[in-house]
Amino acid sequence: MNVISTPNYTATIIIGTEYGYSKKSYDKDTLIKFLQEYQIKNIKEKSIYLSACISSCEIVLSGHIEPHYQLSFINYPKFPLDENTFKKEVEALTQYLMKKLRQNRVVILYHNESKMFELNQEIDPRI
């Protein structure tokens, strides 16, 4: 049996399930479609394999409860990346998904920091 060990880098993208603040939701299949388009392009152009685990969750703030998706990533031992490349690739994917899914704000939780991407300071009026 072959055992491969790599440095432990993790990231989680937390992204809302609505297009902007429109009250119109996209489904998990739409998210997967855009994720796979990006992954295929990255594999062909850069030989970078960034697999994701997708789960549903709710963000609760005051009286507002908003459905979100979490996309979790690890530094997969079969296709290891250095920490800078790992973060750069997760951030590029985040920006791609923000555009495709019309997100104003998305948070990435890394193993050693939290980072928010924000197009403007607008807040969902339901909060």
Side-chain angles (χ1 to χ4, degrees):
M1 175 181 293
N2 188 24
V3 177
I4 301 169
S5 178
T6 59
N8 184 30
Y9 311 134
T10 61
T12 301
I13 299 172
I14 302 167
I15 189 166
T17 62
E18 290 183 5
Y19 292 104
Y21 303 128
S22 69
K23 298 183 185 177
K24 293 171 73 176
S25 296
Y26 62 88
D27 61 16
K28 191 185 215 178
D29 289 339
T30 300
L31 173 61
I32 290 170
K33 179 184 99 170
F34 291 136
L35 174 62
Q36 288 179 318
E37 285 174 2
Y38 190 87
Q39 288 171 324
I40 290 165
K41 183 176 184 263
N42 239 16
I43 291 166
K44 286 181 181 176
E45 294 178 3
K46 302 182 200 176
S47 294
I48 290 181
Y49 294 77
L50 196 59
S51 63
C53 176
I54 300 174
S55 56
S56 300
C57 66
E58 289 80 31
I59 301 295
V60 178
L61 179 59
S62 184
H64 183 64
I65 302 169
E66 185 178 348
H68 280 69
Y69 292 115
Q70 288 185 332
L71 289 82
S72 299
F73 304 88
I74 63 169
N75 189 28
Y76 189 57
K78 187 67 177 173
F79 307 108
L81 301 170
D82 63 78
E83 185 174 10
N84 288 335
T85 302
F86 178 80
K87 286 184 172 185
K88 178 181 150 199
E89 294 302 328
V90 169
E91 290 174 16
L93 171 59
T94 299
Q95 292 175 37
Y96 175 82
L97 292 174
M98 285 180 77
K99 289 177 189 168
K100 290 289 191 178
L101 301 169
R102 298 191 335 246
Q103 298 294 300
N104 180 45
R105 186 175 300 106
V106 173
V107 173
I108 303 172
L109 303 176
Y110 287 115
H111 52 282
N112 59 357
E113 72 175 313
S114 297
K115 196 176 272 193
M116 182 175 70
F117 288 77
E118 181 178 63
L119 294 177
N120 61 57
Q121 293 185 2
E122 183 181 357
I123 301 289
D124 188 331
R126 295 168 285 184
I127 294 179

